[in-house]
Every structure is written in C-alpha cells, then in structure tokens.
Amino acid sequence: MTLPTTPSPPPDEDSGDRRLTWLPWTLIGTAALAIRLTALHRFSYWLDEMLEVFTIRSGWSAMWHALRDQVLNPPLDYVLQKLFDALGPSDSARRILPALWGTGGVLSIGILVGRRAAPRVGAMAAICLAFAPYHVRYSQEVRPYALGMFLTALTLLLLDRYLEEPGAGRLIAAVAAAVTVAYTMFLAALILLI
C-alpha cells in the first residue's frame, strides 16, 4: 500500500533571491569603485578644484564667508570635504570622496532604471555608467558633481519607492534627499524640481 505524499513547500524565495539579486549590484559597485580609485593622481588639480581645496583648508568661519560671498556653490560638498580634510589627506586622497559618490550614483541610477524598466536593463545601465569615461573623470574631481548626481539619483529612487508604497518614512527619506540635493548643486536641484 502506498501512502499519499504531500507536495513539498516551495523554497523560501525571499532569502535566496535577495542574495542572488544583490550579488550583481555588489560586483558592479566594486568594479565602479575600483575604476574610480585607479590613478587618482593622474591629473593635477584644475582651477576650480584648487579653489575648492583652498576654501576648505581655511577655517570654518572663513569657509562660510567665502561660500556666502560666492553665492555660486551650496555648502554640503564643502562641509563633507572639510570634515575629510581633518584626516590630513594627500591631494590624490581628496578625490576618494568623489569616487565614493560616483559609485553611489552608478548604483542608484542602475537600481532606479531596474525598478522602472527591468532588473537586467538596470544592471546594464549601471555597467555602462560604471565604465563611462566622463562619469569616471568627474567622479575623480574635488568638485560637487559626483555628489550632486548621486543625491539626485538617490532622491528619484526614494521617490519611486514612495510612489510604489506610500508611507511617512519613505516620504521623509525622499524629501530629506531632495533637500540635500539643494545643498549640493543648484543645477541638480533645478533639474529635480522639473
């Protein structure tokens, strides 16, 4: 006599899929960061980078006065660079923060595109951006471009998550990210408003 068998439950999709879906993003992020950290000393500072370093190397009050008088640059990038400057970085090491922001931009844009189109499309967009020469170059400058792009993409990603499933926490995160964009780059804030 044969006993009836019950079908086995399906495997827990959440635990396995999450590890598998984050593996490509980890590899893409590692590759993007490695590319951006390669040969940071290759180019000497250009004028705008020198002016930013000069501004952040002054005292806090002098930096705030310079930023207020210039009225061209929001302060967030300067503040983060000033905090990093306390570690006494070399000229090439000052470019580590922009390399991190550039990597964050690659991942944020890829994940956003993956949510809006398809995960594979997002991964391909991130891979293309990870190797894009202009993005790599601007992710190696002591300027707010990489941070502005990262925060803009992050804001759009957080807004997309909020629209998918509205909640107070998600709304606060999206608004906070949008405010940080406004304190990083005026042009990025204008683009975000549009």
Side-chain angles (χ1 to χ4, degrees):
M1 172 178 219
T2 318
L3 294 174
T5 59
T6 59
S8 60
D12 184 13
E13 294 177 14
D14 285 342
S15 62
D17 285 346
R18 287 183 193 209
R19 278 189 297 251
L20 292 176
T21 57
W22 283 106
L23 179 63
W25 295 111
T26 303
L27 294 174
I28 292 168
T30 302
L33 183 61
I35 293 166
R36 281 152 182 76
L37 291 178
T38 301
L40 290 176
H41 61 283
R42 180 178 351 144
F43 301 106
S44 60
Y45 284 169
W46 61 294
L47 180 61
D48 282 356
E49 287 181 291
M50 286 188 274
L51 291 174
E52 182 163 338
V53 170
F54 178 76
T55 303
I56 64 172
R57 292 189 84 186
S58 60
W60 281 98
S61 63
M63 183 181 83
W64 289 115
H65 288 302
L67 290 174
R68 186 185 64 214
D69 293 341
Q70 290 174 6
V71 191
L72 298 174
N73 300 311
L76 184 60
D77 181 58
Y78 287 83
V79 169
L80 294 173
Q81 285 286 355
K82 179 85 173 156
L83 294 172
F84 186 68
D85 190 57
L87 300 174
S90 66
D91 285 345
S92 58
R94 287 183 200 283
R95 293 178 167 162
I96 291 173
L97 282 182
L100 293 172
W101 309 141
T103 302
V106 167
L107 294 173
S108 296
I109 289 173
I111 293 169
L112 176 64
V113 170
R115 289 175 59 85
R116 301 307 297 163
R120 288 183 185 190
V121 175
M124 286 307 301
I127 289 169
C128 290
L129 190 58
F131 289 94
Y134 283 115
H135 193 272
V136 172
R137 178 70 174 102
Y138 283 108
S139 295
Q140 293 179 328
E141 291 187 357
V142 184
R143 296 295 294 139
Y145 308 128
L147 180 60
M149 185 174 180
F150 165 56
L151 291 174
T152 302
L154 182 64
T155 301
L156 292 173
L157 177 60
L158 292 171
L159 182 61
D160 185 59
R161 290 188 70 226
Y162 169 74
L163 293 174
E164 174 188 55
E165 185 179 327
R170 288 183 177 203
L171 179 61
I172 290 170
V175 170
V179 169
T180 60
V181 170
Y183 279 96
T184 303
M185 283 182 64
F186 292 130
L187 181 59
L190 178 63
I191 290 169
L192 192 59
L193 281 174
I194 293 172

